[in-house]
Amino acid sequence: MSKLSSSTTVVAAVTAPEAASQAAPALPPARVHPRPGSGSSSGIAVATVLALLLLWWGVTTAGWIAPLFLPAPAAVWEAARQAWSGNVQGGLPLLTHIGWSLLRVFGAFLLAALTAVPVGLLMGTSRIARGVADPLLEFYRPLPPLAYLPLIVIWFGIDEVAKWLLIYLACFAPIAVSTRAGVAAVQEEQLHAAQSMGASAWQLLRHVILPSALPDILTGLRIAIGFGWTTLVAAEMVAATAGLGQMVLNASNFLRTDVVVMGILLIGVIAYLFDLLMRRVADALTPWRARR
């Protein structure tokens, strides 16, 4: 009897998991939910642009808005053709205006990036640097460029230095603030792990802080170039003889709305193309972050 009971116990112990597995219902396959807002939006963007162009053409063709306030796309294209050959105010070809504007915006932007990123890193890693730079930065950052433009003209005259400085100041603040925010967002665990392995201050900055803050730095660069193009018109008000901003201002004095719209569209397209380039650079340098 004892042998029979022990054999029954062994058989029951072996067959119990099999019976339980057969009785349990099969779980459905896991469903992967996409991230909200993920996926390509290129098609939607193209459709939006085409819809706006069609609306612009329809409104101007129907005569709902006078050409003085909104010229037709054909008139803007004709203005661009005239500007290309230099048959607008000033007599300079369009490429000359584009070249001067690109030199001013990207030259000042490059200088701002080379100086604002180190300042932001210092503000994020040193309380002394933060105490010195933060009040000055937060004081002038909300000021519109036109507010301190007269002072810059008084101090530096009306040559290229004043134009570059105005765009430089507009680009400096967002880069420094974004860099500081990126440094502040570095996780304490990463810093402690590097320090426990004997990392020096330079190694900590080079291998931990800078890579972690890089997405915020690149975002600040994208924002800064937008401020640079926004300030371009104000900068070229200072006795400029060439530039897209100067061309737009000069055309507005003669009520050439077609040239004004053409200049605005050209500035927007150039800025947008550079922003697309910055997105590709950000995706290449920081592949771990979410794509935007």
Side-chain angles (χ1 to χ4, degrees), residues 33-226:
H33 296 276
R35 178 187 177 91
S38 61
S40 177
S41 61
S42 301
I44 301 175
V46 172
T48 301
V49 173
L50 292 177
L52 290 175
L53 291 176
L54 183 61
L55 179 63
W56 178 18
W57 175 82
V59 168
T60 54
T61 302
W64 293 347
I65 301 178
L68 177 63
F69 300 102
L70 183 62
V76 176
W77 177 259
E78 179 63 22
R81 192 188 64 82
Q82 294 177 1
W84 182 266
S85 57
N87 294 327
V88 294
Q89 292 86 354
L92 295 176
L94 184 59
L95 280 179
T96 302
H97 292 290
I98 295 176
W100 276 105
S101 294
L102 290 176
L103 178 63
R104 290 162 182 156
V105 172
F106 288 105
F109 169 76
L110 181 60
L111 292 177
L114 292 177
T115 54
V117 171
V119 169
L121 292 174
L122 285 175
M123 292 175 63
T125 56
S126 172
R127 64 183 183 88
I128 298 177
R130 183 168 60 252
V132 172
D134 188 70
L136 301 176
L137 187 63
E138 294 300 329
F139 171 77
Y140 101 85
R141 185 172 64 88
L143 297 177
L146 287 176
Y148 48 84
L149 175 60
L151 193 60
I152 291 179
V153 173
I154 294 173
W155 287 350
F156 298 97
I158 59 175
D159 57 0
E160 289 296 315
V161 176
K163 302 175 183 60
W164 282 53
L165 181 59
L166 191 67
I167 301 174
Y168 169 86
L169 292 176
C171 296
F172 182 90
I175 300 175
V177 171
S178 298
T179 303
R180 176 189 170 184
V183 174
V186 178
Q187 297 181 1
E188 293 289 339
E189 292 80 4
Q190 295 177 329
L191 298 174
H192 294 163
Q195 290 172 339
S196 64
M197 297 177 66
S200 63
W202 168 250
Q203 291 174 333
L204 199 67
L205 178 65
R206 169 66 180 84
H207 297 287
V208 179
I209 296 178
L210 188 58
S212 299
L214 190 57
D216 293 278
I217 295 175
L218 294 174
T219 301
L221 293 176
R222 289 176 56 190
I223 297 173
I225 194 63

Side-chain angles (χ1 to χ4, degrees), residues 7-21:
S7 300
T8 305
T9 304
V10 171
V11 172
V14 172
T15 57
E18 297 178 357
S21 62

